Amino acid sequence: MIKRLAFRELKTKFGTFTEILYYDGRQESIAIVMGDIDGGENVLCRVHSHCIGAHVFNSIECTCREEMEAAQIAIQNEGLGIIIWLDQEAKGNGHLALIESIPFKKEFGQAKAYEMAGYKADARSYTPAAQILDDLKVRSIILLANSEGKADELRKESVNVSAVRELPVS
């Protein structure tokens, strides 16, 4: 079960959020929240996995950084929303899997590349995200994602995903 550890005000170039740190006994997860989402329905929500390449090294090999920025802009425009950051590098396989999958990525795509390197196509768990949404008393979300598959995985965790809104990325 996830536990709320701490929170603080977080000023970003997209406005002020409340950052909330969670821990499930293995990993930390972070929620950044704008506005009063308590009991909210159709709350904009991005569930975002850690990507060291894009977020730390400014890699242009994936769209993770652009997706995060687009989500923050959408939430800023709405004045209300949540981003849940999960420590699940490389679709939950870890950074080594990412590095080992690179030779296969161009020809086969990222998911198949992970499998060819000996990993799962997608090893992420959405349980922490579901537990965070429950802790925040969010009743339903509009998922900010470019994949219907993420919505399906969240629904398996009993998250009420009322719609999926694509994020504009180049």
Side-chain angles (χ1 to χ4, degrees):
M1 186 54 108
I2 206 151
K3 181 180 177 184
R4 187 187 294 214
L5 297 180
F7 67 94
R8 71 174 181 124
E9 184 177 270
L10 177 67
K11 294 181 185 200
T12 76
K13 67 181 184 178
F14 305 104
T16 301
F17 290 80
T18 299
E19 176 186 7
I20 307 167
L21 177 64
Y22 290 91
Y23 184 65
D24 67 3
R26 283 183 347 128
Q27 292 180 308
E28 294 178 341
S29 299
I30 299 168
I32 62 170
V33 176
M34 181 176 280
D36 182 8
I37 61 169
D38 188 5
E41 293 186 17
N42 301 321
V43 175
L44 292 183
C45 179
R46 169 77 183 158
V47 177
H48 194 88
S49 294
H50 180 75
C51 178
I52 196 167
H55 296 293
V56 176
F57 302 129
N58 293 305
S59 171
I60 57 172
E61 296 175 341
C62 68
T63 59
C64 294
R65 186 174 40 81
E66 292 168 294
E67 289 171 351
M68 175 61 83
E69 216 170 269
Q72 285 180 285
I73 289 168
I75 290 169
Q76 177 187 38
N77 291 339
E78 191 90 7
L80 185 78
I82 178 173
I83 296 172
I84 298 172
W85 178 279
L86 302 175
D87 188 11
Q88 299 186 112
E89 173 79 13
K91 294 190 185 269
N93 289 304
H95 199 67
L96 178 61
L98 177 71
I99 291 171
E100 291 181 342
S101 71
I102 297 294
F104 309 109
K105 183 178 175 180
K106 277 190 180 177
E107 186 175 348
F108 299 103
Q110 191 63 65
K112 184 69 176 167
Y114 286 132
E115 290 179 327
M116 294 181 80
Y119 300 90
K120 291 182 178 180
D122 192 337
R124 291 176 288 189
S125 168
Y126 292 96
T127 301
Q131 291 176 353
I132 288 169
L133 289 167
D134 185 56
D135 178 69
L136 295 171
K137 297 178 179 59
V138 174
R139 294 171 51 174
S140 65
I141 64 170
I142 297 172
L143 184 65
L144 300 172
N146 294 336
S147 164
E148 189 68 39
K150 192 178 281 190
D152 293 340
E153 292 300 318
L154 286 164
R155 288 181 181 116
K156 288 178 188 174
E157 296 289 338
S158 300
V159 174
N160 184 355
V161 180
S162 56
V164 177
R165 184 185 299 175
E166 277 196 35
L167 293 169
V169 293
S170 50

